Amino acid sequence: MEFWQALILGLVEGLTEYLPVSSTGHLLVTQRLLGIEASEAANTYAIVIQAGAIAAVLGLYRSRVRQVALGALGRDKTGTRLLFALVVAFIPAAALGLATDDTIERYLFGPWPIAAAWAVGGLLLIAIAGRFRLRSGVALDDVQLRAALIVGVAQCAALWPGVSRSFATILGGLGAGLSMAAAVEFSFLLGLLTLGAATAYKTLDGGSAMLEVYGPVEIAAGFVTAWLSAVLAVKWMVAWLAERGLAIFGYWRLLAAGIVSVMVLTGHL
């Protein structure tokens, strides 16, 4: 991998990780466009540079992360309740992901499954965007375990590349009665657990293969670029959803699905 390719992949990861458009789908398609063939090393790299996006949320939501950390020590009741909610939401996808990881990589890490997930998700977002626009509801401090479990089950859908973890968890949160702001923030915080676990697992499982193909400089470049671009993407998304709805992401997904489908059919991908 060339240095400039690492920068592009980091940029794509950071910009799309927390938007409901699927960073994994975008990364896999970008890898193919850059001439990076499917392999254990390439798939591991796409997951590992998520650490940059994790660092972005840790910085932007450090006060909330601190509250959860204090809750783990029994020094903040709200933080303790939120911690339990995050753990409950984390478990379903973690368990299912461990059981199906090899199968998912074998059958779903390709342009057609990704395009299909983008298209279906895009149509769904456009159809329901008006219903949840500027949605009021339960605040993050009042999230109950039932709502957390609903979000966790919804997150399982994101194991299919192209669905988007952010897409699944935000819609799960809104469906469970959370406000738009609470659903988005809960999705971000849950991402710290989910992406952190996925990054650690992939690093242990395929890290050696990745290091044989990609050097530490390229990995560091992907991490830093993902971190900086994720900061910008998260700030933009929060500001956008404060006054507008989710429909733009539905159109984005349909456009991406259309472009990828045409490129596959014409032999360019």
PDB file of all heavy atoms in Angstrom, residues 75-113:
ATOM      1  N   ARG A  75     -19.247   6.017  41.431  1.00  0.00           N
ATOM      2  CA  ARG A  75     -19.186   7.405  41.909  1.00  0.00           C
ATOM      3  C   ARG A  75     -20.118   8.332  41.145  1.00  0.00           C
ATOM      4  O   ARG A  75     -20.127   9.533  41.375  1.00  0.00           O
ATOM      5  CB  ARG A  75     -17.741   7.914  41.801  1.00  0.00           C
ATOM      6  CG  ARG A  75     -16.774   7.166  42.709  1.00  0.00           C
ATOM      7  CD  ARG A  75     -15.330   7.480  42.389  1.00  0.00           C
ATOM      8  NE  ARG A  75     -15.043   8.911  42.442  1.00  0.00           N
ATOM      9  CZ  ARG A  75     -13.888   9.459  42.079  1.00  0.00           C
ATOM     10  NH1 ARG A  75     -12.909   8.671  41.623  1.00  0.00           N
ATOM     11  NH2 ARG A  75     -13.711  10.758  42.154  1.00  0.00           N
ATOM     12  N   ASP A  76     -20.900   7.799  40.222  1.00  0.00           N
ATOM     13  CA  ASP A  76     -21.853   8.603  39.464  1.00  0.00           C
ATOM     14  C   ASP A  76     -23.033   7.713  39.091  1.00  0.00           C
ATOM     15  O   ASP A  76     -22.886   6.801  38.268  1.00  0.00           O
ATOM     16  CB  ASP A  76     -21.192   9.178  38.209  1.00  0.00           C
ATOM     17  CG  ASP A  76     -22.070  10.185  37.482  1.00  0.00           C
ATOM     18  OD1 ASP A  76     -23.193   9.805  37.086  1.00  0.00           O
ATOM     19  OD2 ASP A  76     -21.648  11.335  37.299  1.00  0.00           O
ATOM     20  N   LYS A  77     -24.204   7.955  39.682  1.00  0.00           N
ATOM     21  CA  LYS A  77     -25.358   7.073  39.464  1.00  0.00           C
ATOM     22  C   LYS A  77     -25.820   7.079  38.018  1.00  0.00           C
ATOM     23  O   LYS A  77     -26.144   6.031  37.448  1.00  0.00           O
ATOM     24  CB  LYS A  77     -26.502   7.486  40.394  1.00  0.00           C
ATOM     25  CG  LYS A  77     -26.244   7.196  41.863  1.00  0.00           C
ATOM     26  CD  LYS A  77     -27.453   7.556  42.715  1.00  0.00           C
ATOM     27  CE  LYS A  77     -27.192   7.218  44.179  1.00  0.00           C
ATOM     28  NZ  LYS A  77     -28.360   7.559  45.038  1.00  0.00           N
ATOM     29  N   THR A  78     -25.851   8.259  37.421  1.00  0.00           N
ATOM     30  CA  THR A  78     -26.253   8.339  36.018  1.00  0.00           C
ATOM     31  C   THR A  78     -25.248   7.616  35.132  1.00  0.00           C
ATOM     32  O   THR A  78     -25.608   6.913  34.185  1.00  0.00           O
ATOM     33  CB  THR A  78     -26.382   9.808  35.573  1.00  0.00           C
ATOM     34  OG1 THR A  78     -27.369  10.461  36.384  1.00  0.00           O
ATOM     35  CG2 THR A  78     -26.797   9.903  34.111  1.00  0.00           C
ATOM     36  N   GLY A  79     -23.974   7.777  35.449  1.00  0.00           N
ATOM     37  CA  GLY A  79     -22.936   7.091  34.699  1.00  0.00           C
ATOM     38  C   GLY A  79     -23.034   5.584  34.828  1.00  0.00           C
ATOM     39  O   GLY A  79     -22.816   4.849  33.861  1.00  0.00           O
ATOM     40  N   THR A  80     -23.396   5.100  36.030  1.00  0.00           N
ATOM     41  CA  THR A  80     -23.558   3.660  36.237  1.00  0.00           C
ATOM     42  C   THR A  80     -24.716   3.122  35.399  1.00  0.00           C
ATOM     43  O   THR A  80     -24.605   2.073  34.756  1.00  0.00           O
ATOM     44  CB  THR A  80     -23.820   3.352  37.722  1.00  0.00           C
ATOM     45  OG1 THR A  80     -22.717   3.827  38.508  1.00  0.00           O
ATOM     46  CG2 THR A  80     -23.984   1.854  37.949  1.00  0.00           C
ATOM     47  N   ARG A  81     -25.838   3.846  35.402  1.00  0.00           N
ATOM     48  CA  ARG A  81     -26.998   3.423  34.615  1.00  0.00           C
ATOM     49  C   ARG A  81     -26.673   3.407  33.127  1.00  0.00           C
ATOM     50  O   ARG A  81     -27.043   2.470  32.406  1.00  0.00           O
ATOM     51  CB  ARG A  81     -28.174   4.351  34.897  1.00  0.00           C
ATOM     52  CG  ARG A  81     -29.472   3.940  34.180  1.00  0.00           C
ATOM     53  CD  ARG A  81     -30.691   4.668  34.693  1.00  0.00           C
ATOM     54  NE  ARG A  81     -30.580   6.106  34.553  1.00  0.00           N
ATOM     55  CZ  ARG A  81     -30.439   6.948  35.574  1.00  0.00           C
ATOM     56  NH1 ARG A  81     -30.377   6.487  36.822  1.00  0.00           N
ATOM     57  NH2 ARG A  81     -30.364   8.244  35.365  1.00  0.00           N
ATOM     58  N   LEU A  82     -25.958   4.420  32.674  1.00  0.00           N
ATOM     59  CA  LEU A  82     -25.596   4.486  31.263  1.00  0.00           C
ATOM     60  C   LEU A  82     -24.613   3.369  30.898  1.00  0.00           C
ATOM     61  O   LEU A  82     -24.702   2.774  29.818  1.00  0.00           O
ATOM     62  CB  LEU A  82     -24.995   5.855  30.938  1.00  0.00           C
ATOM     63  CG  LEU A  82     -24.627   6.126  29.476  1.00  0.00           C
ATOM     64  CD1 LEU A  82     -25.808   5.885  28.551  1.00  0.00           C
ATOM     65  CD2 LEU A  82     -24.126   7.562  29.323  1.00  0.00           C
ATOM     66  N   LEU A  83     -23.696   3.058  31.795  1.00  0.00           N
ATOM     67  CA  LEU A  83     -22.738   1.980  31.554  1.00  0.00           C
ATOM     68  C   LEU A  83     -23.467   0.651  31.379  1.00  0.00           C
ATOM     69  O   LEU A  83     -23.175  -0.107  30.448  1.00  0.00           O
ATOM     70  CB  LEU A  83     -21.754   1.884  32.716  1.00  0.00           C
ATOM     71  CG  LEU A  83     -20.774   0.699  32.666  1.00  0.00           C
ATOM     72  CD1 LEU A  83     -19.878   0.778  31.428  1.00  0.00           C
ATOM     73  CD2 LEU A  83     -19.921   0.666  33.940  1.00  0.00           C
ATOM     74  N   PHE A  84     -24.405   0.348  32.263  1.00  0.00           N
ATOM     75  CA  PHE A  84     -25.170  -0.893  32.141  1.00  0.00           C
ATOM     76  C   PHE A  84     -25.944  -0.926  30.826  1.00  0.00           C
ATOM     77  O   PHE A  84     -26.032  -1.968  30.168  1.00  0.00           O
ATOM     78  CB  PHE A  84     -26.128  -1.053  33.323  1.00  0.00           C
ATOM     79  CG  PHE A  84     -25.481  -1.615  34.557  1.00  0.00           C
ATOM     80  CD1 PHE A  84     -25.445  -0.891  35.730  1.00  0.00           C
ATOM     81  CD2 PHE A  84     -24.913  -2.876  34.539  1.00  0.00           C
ATOM     82  CE1 PHE A  84     -24.844  -1.404  36.861  1.00  0.00           C
ATOM     83  CE2 PHE A  84     -24.314  -3.409  35.674  1.00  0.00           C
ATOM     84  CZ  PHE A  84     -24.276  -2.670  36.846  1.00  0.00           C
ATOM     85  N   ALA A  85     -26.511   0.221  30.435  1.00  0.00           N
ATOM     86  CA  ALA A  85     -27.259   0.288  29.182  1.00  0.00           C
ATOM     87  C   ALA A  85     -26.348   0.013  27.987  1.00  0.00           C
ATOM     88  O   ALA A  85     -26.716  -0.712  27.054  1.00  0.00           O
ATOM     89  CB  ALA A  85     -27.918   1.658  29.035  1.00  0.00           C
ATOM     90  N   LEU A  86     -25.146   0.563  28.007  1.00  0.00           N
ATOM     91  CA  LEU A  86     -24.197   0.351  26.915  1.00  0.00           C
ATOM     92  C   LEU A  86     -23.745  -1.114  26.839  1.00  0.00           C
ATOM     93  O   LEU A  86     -23.612  -1.674  25.752  1.00  0.00           O
ATOM     94  CB  LEU A  86     -22.982   1.264  27.091  1.00  0.00           C
ATOM     95  CG  LEU A  86     -23.231   2.758  26.858  1.00  0.00           C
ATOM     96  CD1 LEU A  86     -22.036   3.585  27.325  1.00  0.00           C
ATOM     97  CD2 LEU A  86     -23.526   3.039  25.393  1.00  0.00           C
ATOM     98  N   VAL A  87     -23.522  -1.726  27.983  1.00  0.00           N
ATOM     99  CA  VAL A  87     -23.107  -3.135  27.999  1.00  0.00           C
ATOM    100  C   VAL A  87     -24.224  -4.026  27.450  1.00  0.00           C
ATOM    101  O   VAL A  87     -23.975  -4.939  26.648  1.00  0.00           O
ATOM    102  CB  VAL A  87     -22.718  -3.567  29.425  1.00  0.00           C
ATOM    103  CG1 VAL A  87     -22.512  -5.081  29.490  1.00  0.00           C
ATOM    104  CG2 VAL A  87     -21.456  -2.844  29.881  1.00  0.00           C
ATOM    105  N   VAL A  88     -25.468  -3.754  27.869  1.00  0.00           N
ATOM    106  CA  VAL A  88     -26.607  -4.523  27.373  1.00  0.00           C
ATOM    107  C   VAL A  88     -26.731  -4.372  25.858  1.00  0.00           C
ATOM    108  O   VAL A  88     -26.993  -5.338  25.133  1.00  0.00           O
ATOM    109  CB  VAL A  88     -27.910  -4.076  28.070  1.00  0.00           C
ATOM    110  CG1 VAL A  88     -29.139  -4.625  27.345  1.00  0.00           C
ATOM    111  CG2 VAL A  88     -27.910  -4.542  29.521  1.00  0.00           C
ATOM    112  N   ALA A  89     -26.520  -3.158  25.351  1.00  0.00           N
ATOM    113  CA  ALA A  89     -26.618  -2.906  23.909  1.00  0.00           C
ATOM    114  C   ALA A  89     -25.463  -3.537  23.142  1.00  0.00           C
ATOM    115  O   ALA A  89     -25.608  -3.896  21.971  1.00  0.00           O
ATOM    116  CB  ALA A  89     -26.662  -1.404  23.648  1.00  0.00           C
ATOM    117  N   PHE A  90     -24.344  -3.695  23.793  1.00  0.00           N
ATOM    118  CA  PHE A  90     -23.150  -4.239  23.139  1.00  0.00           C
ATOM    119  C   PHE A  90     -23.220  -5.752  22.937  1.00  0.00           C
ATOM    120  O   PHE A  90     -22.756  -6.283  21.925  1.00  0.00           O
ATOM    121  CB  PHE A  90     -21.919  -3.888  23.983  1.00  0.00           C
ATOM    122  CG  PHE A  90     -20.661  -4.611  23.606  1.00  0.00           C
ATOM    123  CD1 PHE A  90     -19.955  -4.263  22.465  1.00  0.00           C
ATOM    124  CD2 PHE A  90     -20.179  -5.649  24.392  1.00  0.00           C
ATOM    125  CE1 PHE A  90     -18.792  -4.935  22.110  1.00  0.00           C
ATOM    126  CE2 PHE A  90     -19.019  -6.324  24.051  1.00  0.00           C
ATOM    127  CZ  PHE A  90     -18.322  -5.966  22.913  1.00  0.00           C
ATOM    128  N   ILE A  91     -23.811  -6.456  23.875  1.00  0.00           N
ATOM    129  CA  ILE A  91     -23.730  -7.922  23.908  1.00  0.00           C
ATOM    130  C   ILE A  91     -24.308  -8.620  22.670  1.00  0.00           C
ATOM    131  O   ILE A  91     -23.655  -9.530  22.119  1.00  0.00           O
ATOM    132  CB  ILE A  91     -24.395  -8.460  25.194  1.00  0.00           C
ATOM    133  CG1 ILE A  91     -23.531  -8.087  26.406  1.00  0.00           C
ATOM    134  CG2 ILE A  91     -24.590  -9.973  25.124  1.00  0.00           C
ATOM    135  CD1 ILE A  91     -24.160  -8.428  27.742  1.00  0.00           C
ATOM    136  N   PRO A  92     -25.516  -8.269  22.172  1.00  0.00           N
ATOM    137  CA  PRO A  92     -26.069  -9.040  21.044  1.00  0.00           C
ATOM    138  C   PRO A  92     -25.177  -9.094  19.819  1.00  0.00           C
ATOM    139  O   PRO A  92     -24.903 -10.182  19.283  1.00  0.00           O
ATOM    140  CB  PRO A  92     -27.392  -8.314  20.753  1.00  0.00           C
ATOM    141  CG  PRO A  92     -27.775  -7.693  22.053  1.00  0.00           C
ATOM    142  CD  PRO A  92     -26.480  -7.256  22.667  1.00  0.00           C
ATOM    143  N   ALA A  93     -24.702  -7.948  19.345  1.00  0.00           N
ATOM    144  CA  ALA A  93     -23.864  -7.936  18.142  1.00  0.00           C
ATOM    145  C   ALA A  93     -22.505  -8.565  18.399  1.00  0.00           C
ATOM    146  O   ALA A  93     -21.928  -9.196  17.502  1.00  0.00           O
ATOM    147  CB  ALA A  93     -23.697  -6.507  17.635  1.00  0.00           C
ATOM    148  N   ALA A  94     -21.982  -8.404  19.623  1.00  0.00           N
ATOM    149  CA  ALA A  94     -20.691  -9.013  19.950  1.00  0.00           C
ATOM    150  C   ALA A  94     -20.788 -10.533  19.867  1.00  0.00           C
ATOM    151  O   ALA A  94     -19.916 -11.197  19.283  1.00  0.00           O
ATOM    152  CB  ALA A  94     -20.243  -8.578  21.340  1.00  0.00           C
ATOM    153  N   ALA A  95     -21.840 -11.087  20.444  1.00  0.00           N
ATOM    154  CA  ALA A  95     -22.013 -12.538  20.437  1.00  0.00           C
ATOM    155  C   ALA A  95     -22.251 -13.058  19.020  1.00  0.00           C
ATOM    156  O   ALA A  95     -21.634 -14.047  18.587  1.00  0.00           O
ATOM    157  CB  ALA A  95     -23.181 -12.918  21.341  1.00  0.00           C
ATOM    158  N   LEU A  96     -23.136 -12.386  18.282  1.00  0.00           N
ATOM    159  CA  LEU A  96     -23.438 -12.829  16.925  1.00  0.00           C
ATOM    160  C   LEU A  96     -22.239 -12.643  16.003  1.00  0.00           C
ATOM    161  O   LEU A  96     -21.966 -13.477  15.130  1.00  0.00           O
ATOM    162  CB  LEU A  96     -24.646 -12.070  16.384  1.00  0.00           C
ATOM    163  CG  LEU A  96     -25.166 -12.491  15.007  1.00  0.00           C
ATOM    164  CD1 LEU A  96     -25.595 -13.954  15.018  1.00  0.00           C
ATOM    165  CD2 LEU A  96     -26.332 -11.593  14.577  1.00  0.00           C
ATOM    166  N   GLY A  97     -21.509 -11.559  16.203  1.00  0.00           N
ATOM    167  CA  GLY A  97     -20.340 -11.302  15.371  1.00  0.00           C
ATOM    168  C   GLY A  97     -19.261 -12.349  15.540  1.00  0.00           C
ATOM    169  O   GLY A  97     -18.644 -12.789  14.564  1.00  0.00           O
ATOM    170  N   LEU A  98     -19.010 -12.764  16.773  1.00  0.00           N
ATOM    171  CA  LEU A  98     -18.018 -13.806  17.015  1.00  0.00           C
ATOM    172  C   LEU A  98     -18.419 -15.121  16.351  1.00  0.00           C
ATOM    173  O   LEU A  98     -17.572 -15.858  15.841  1.00  0.00           O
ATOM    174  CB  LEU A  98     -17.847 -14.018  18.528  1.00  0.00           C
ATOM    175  CG  LEU A  98     -17.034 -12.947  19.271  1.00  0.00           C
ATOM    176  CD1 LEU A  98     -17.111 -13.198  20.773  1.00  0.00           C
ATOM    177  CD2 LEU A  98     -15.581 -12.938  18.806  1.00  0.00           C
ATOM    178  N   ALA A  99     -19.717 -15.392  16.351  1.00  0.00           N
ATOM    179  CA  ALA A  99     -20.206 -16.657  15.806  1.00  0.00           C
ATOM    180  C   ALA A  99     -20.223 -16.676  14.279  1.00  0.00           C
ATOM    181  O   ALA A  99     -20.145 -17.753  13.665  1.00  0.00           O
ATOM    182  CB  ALA A  99     -21.603 -16.952  16.339  1.00  0.00           C
ATOM    183  N   THR A 100     -20.316 -15.509  13.664  1.00  0.00           N
ATOM    184  CA  THR A 100     -20.520 -15.466  12.210  1.00  0.00           C
ATOM    185  C   THR A 100     -19.421 -14.718  11.457  1.00  0.00           C
ATOM    186  O   THR A 100     -19.550 -14.490  10.261  1.00  0.00           O
ATOM    187  CB  THR A 100     -21.869 -14.799  11.887  1.00  0.00           C
ATOM    188  OG1 THR A 100     -21.866 -13.440  12.395  1.00  0.00           O
ATOM    189  CG2 THR A 100     -23.028 -15.552  12.523  1.00  0.00           C
ATOM    190  N   ASP A 101     -18.337 -14.342  12.119  1.00  0.00           N
ATOM    191  CA  ASP A 101     -17.308 -13.497  11.501  1.00  0.00           C
ATOM    192  C   ASP A 101     -16.772 -14.083  10.197  1.00  0.00           C
ATOM    193  O   ASP A 101     -16.719 -13.402   9.170  1.00  0.00           O
ATOM    194  CB  ASP A 101     -16.156 -13.280  12.487  1.00  0.00           C
ATOM    195  CG  ASP A 101     -15.066 -12.392  11.903  1.00  0.00           C
ATOM    196  OD1 ASP A 101     -15.374 -11.264  11.518  1.00  0.00           O
ATOM    197  OD2 ASP A 101     -13.914 -12.853  11.826  1.00  0.00           O
ATOM    198  N   ASP A 102     -16.373 -15.342  10.210  1.00  0.00           N
ATOM    199  CA  ASP A 102     -15.797 -15.956   9.000  1.00  0.00           C
ATOM    200  C   ASP A 102     -16.819 -16.050   7.876  1.00  0.00           C
ATOM    201  O   ASP A 102     -16.501 -15.815   6.699  1.00  0.00           O
ATOM    202  CB  ASP A 102     -15.263 -17.357   9.329  1.00  0.00           C
ATOM    203  CG  ASP A 102     -14.032 -17.310  10.219  1.00  0.00           C
ATOM    204  OD1 ASP A 102     -13.379 -16.256  10.249  1.00  0.00           O
ATOM    205  OD2 ASP A 102     -13.740 -18.313  10.884  1.00  0.00           O
ATOM    206  N   THR A 103     -18.061 -16.382   8.223  1.00  0.00           N
ATOM    207  CA  THR A 103     -19.120 -16.495   7.214  1.00  0.00           C
ATOM    208  C   THR A 103     -19.401 -15.144   6.570  1.00  0.00           C
ATOM    209  O   THR A 103     -19.575 -15.048   5.344  1.00  0.00           O
ATOM    210  CB  THR A 103     -20.415 -17.036   7.850  1.00  0.00           C
ATOM    211  OG1 THR A 103     -20.140 -18.310   8.431  1.00  0.00           O
ATOM    212  CG2 THR A 103     -21.515 -17.177   6.810  1.00  0.00           C
ATOM    213  N   ILE A 104     -19.438 -14.105   7.380  1.00  0.00           N
ATOM    214  CA  ILE A 104     -19.694 -12.755   6.866  1.00  0.00           C
ATOM    215  C   ILE A 104     -18.593 -12.337   5.899  1.00  0.00           C
ATOM    216  O   ILE A 104     -18.858 -11.822   4.809  1.00  0.00           O
ATOM    217  CB  ILE A 104     -19.804 -11.755   8.027  1.00  0.00           C
ATOM    218  CG1 ILE A 104     -21.116 -11.975   8.791  1.00  0.00           C
ATOM    219  CG2 ILE A 104     -19.739 -10.313   7.512  1.00  0.00           C
ATOM    220  CD1 ILE A 104     -21.216 -11.179  10.064  1.00  0.00           C
ATOM    221  N   GLU A 105     -17.328 -12.565   6.279  1.00  0.00           N
ATOM    222  CA  GLU A 105     -16.220 -12.193   5.403  1.00  0.00           C
ATOM    223  C   GLU A 105     -16.256 -12.978   4.096  1.00  0.00           C
ATOM    224  O   GLU A 105     -15.909 -12.463   3.039  1.00  0.00           O
ATOM    225  CB  GLU A 105     -14.885 -12.405   6.120  1.00  0.00           C
ATOM    226  CG  GLU A 105     -14.564 -11.342   7.145  1.00  0.00           C
ATOM    227  CD  GLU A 105     -13.080 -11.251   7.423  1.00  0.00           C
ATOM    228  OE1 GLU A 105     -12.280 -11.829   6.649  1.00  0.00           O
ATOM    229  OE2 GLU A 105     -12.708 -10.604   8.406  1.00  0.00           O
ATOM    230  N   ARG A 106     -16.683 -14.230   4.173  1.00  0.00           N
ATOM    231  CA  ARG A 106     -16.670 -15.089   2.986  1.00  0.00           C
ATOM    232  C   ARG A 106     -17.753 -14.701   1.980  1.00  0.00           C
ATOM    233  O   ARG A 106     -17.520 -14.706   0.775  1.00  0.00           O
ATOM    234  CB  ARG A 106     -16.859 -16.545   3.405  1.00  0.00           C
ATOM    235  CG  ARG A 106     -16.720 -17.546   2.230  1.00  0.00           C
ATOM    236  CD  ARG A 106     -16.864 -18.985   2.708  1.00  0.00           C
ATOM    237  NE  ARG A 106     -15.889 -19.313   3.723  1.00  0.00           N
ATOM    238  CZ  ARG A 106     -16.190 -19.622   5.002  1.00  0.00           C
ATOM    239  NH1 ARG A 106     -17.456 -19.657   5.378  1.00  0.00           N
ATOM    240  NH2 ARG A 106     -15.253 -19.917   5.853  1.00  0.00           N
ATOM    241  N   TYR A 107     -18.945 -14.352   2.480  1.00  0.00           N
ATOM    242  CA  TYR A 107     -20.084 -14.161   1.581  1.00  0.00           C
ATOM    243  C   TYR A 107     -20.551 -12.711   1.414  1.00  0.00           C
ATOM    244  O   TYR A 107     -21.201 -12.392   0.419  1.00  0.00           O
ATOM    245  CB  TYR A 107     -21.280 -14.999   2.072  1.00  0.00           C
ATOM    246  CG  TYR A 107     -21.025 -16.486   2.024  1.00  0.00           C
ATOM    247  CD1 TYR A 107     -20.825 -17.213   3.192  1.00  0.00           C
ATOM    248  CD2 TYR A 107     -20.966 -17.159   0.804  1.00  0.00           C
ATOM    249  CE1 TYR A 107     -20.580 -18.578   3.156  1.00  0.00           C
ATOM    250  CE2 TYR A 107     -20.723 -18.529   0.761  1.00  0.00           C
ATOM    251  CZ  TYR A 107     -20.541 -19.230   1.943  1.00  0.00           C
ATOM    252  OH  TYR A 107     -20.293 -20.575   1.904  1.00  0.00           O
ATOM    253  N   LEU A 108     -20.246 -11.832   2.357  1.00  0.00           N
ATOM    254  CA  LEU A 108     -20.837 -10.491   2.319  1.00  0.00           C
ATOM    255  C   LEU A 108     -19.838  -9.370   2.043  1.00  0.00           C
ATOM    256  O   LEU A 108     -20.250  -8.238   1.819  1.00  0.00           O
ATOM    257  CB  LEU A 108     -21.564 -10.205   3.641  1.00  0.00           C
ATOM    258  CG  LEU A 108     -22.726 -11.151   3.980  1.00  0.00           C
ATOM    259  CD1 LEU A 108     -23.365 -10.747   5.297  1.00  0.00           C
ATOM    260  CD2 LEU A 108     -23.766 -11.153   2.856  1.00  0.00           C
ATOM    261  N   PHE A 109     -18.533  -9.677   2.045  1.00  0.00           N
ATOM    262  CA  PHE A 109     -17.542  -8.642   1.779  1.00  0.00           C
ATOM    263  C   PHE A 109     -17.329  -8.519   0.269  1.00  0.00           C
ATOM    264  O   PHE A 109     -16.286  -8.854  -0.267  1.00  0.00           O
ATOM    265  CB  PHE A 109     -16.218  -8.967   2.488  1.00  0.00           C
ATOM    266  CG  PHE A 109     -16.136  -8.438   3.895  1.00  0.00           C
ATOM    267  CD1 PHE A 109     -17.128  -8.720   4.814  1.00  0.00           C
ATOM    268  CD2 PHE A 109     -15.075  -7.638   4.297  1.00  0.00           C
ATOM    269  CE1 PHE A 109     -17.064  -8.245   6.112  1.00  0.00           C
ATOM    270  CE2 PHE A 109     -14.999  -7.146   5.599  1.00  0.00           C
ATOM    271  CZ  PHE A 109     -16.005  -7.459   6.503  1.00  0.00           C
ATOM    272  N   GLY A 110     -18.357  -8.046  -0.420  1.00  0.00           N
ATOM    273  CA  GLY A 110     -18.280  -7.874  -1.868  1.00  0.00           C
ATOM    274  C   GLY A 110     -19.184  -6.749  -2.309  1.00  0.00           C
ATOM    275  O   GLY A 110     -20.062  -6.299  -1.562  1.00  0.00           O
ATOM    276  N   PRO A 111     -19.009  -6.246  -3.527  1.00  0.00           N
ATOM    277  CA  PRO A 111     -19.768  -5.080  -3.983  1.00  0.00           C
ATOM    278  C   PRO A 111     -21.274  -5.287  -4.057  1.00  0.00           C
ATOM    279  O   PRO A 111     -22.039  -4.375  -3.728  1.00  0.00           O
ATOM    280  CB  PRO A 111     -19.179  -4.775  -5.363  1.00  0.00           C
ATOM    281  CG  PRO A 111     -18.330  -5.923  -5.727  1.00  0.00           C
ATOM    282  CD  PRO A 111     -17.978  -6.649  -4.495  1.00  0.00           C
ATOM    283  N   TRP A 112     -21.745  -6.475  -4.491  1.00  0.00           N
ATOM    284  CA  TRP A 112     -23.189  -6.662  -4.618  1.00  0.00           C
ATOM    285  C   TRP A 112     -23.910  -6.687  -3.275  1.00  0.00           C
ATOM    286  O   TRP A 112     -24.942  -6.005  -3.116  1.00  0.00           O
ATOM    287  CB  TRP A 112     -23.504  -7.922  -5.424  1.00  0.00           C
ATOM    288  CG  TRP A 112     -23.350  -7.761  -6.905  1.00  0.00           C
ATOM    289  CD1 TRP A 112     -22.556  -8.487  -7.737  1.00  0.00           C
ATOM    290  CD2 TRP A 112     -23.989  -6.786  -7.746  1.00  0.00           C
ATOM    291  NE1 TRP A 112     -22.662  -8.047  -9.032  1.00  0.00           N
ATOM    292  CE2 TRP A 112     -23.533  -6.995  -9.072  1.00  0.00           C
ATOM    293  CE3 TRP A 112     -24.895  -5.758  -7.506  1.00  0.00           C
ATOM    294  CZ2 TRP A 112     -23.954  -6.218 -10.148  1.00  0.00           C
ATOM    295  CZ3 TRP A 112     -25.322  -4.968  -8.581  1.00  0.00           C
ATOM    296  CH2 TRP A 112     -24.853  -5.210  -9.873  1.00  0.00           C
ATOM    297  N   PRO A 113     -23.426  -7.431  -2.276  1.00  0.00           N
ATOM    298  CA  PRO A 113     -24.082  -7.370  -0.966  1.00  0.00           C
ATOM    299  C   PRO A 113     -24.071  -5.972  -0.367  1.00  0.00           C
ATOM    300  O   PRO A 113     -25.048  -5.536   0.264  1.00  0.00           O
ATOM    301  CB  PRO A 113     -23.258  -8.348  -0.112  1.00  0.00           C
ATOM    302  CG  PRO A 113     -22.668  -9.295  -1.088  1.00  0.00           C
ATOM    303  CD  PRO A 113     -22.362  -8.469  -2.302  1.00  0.00           C
TER     304      PRO A 113
END
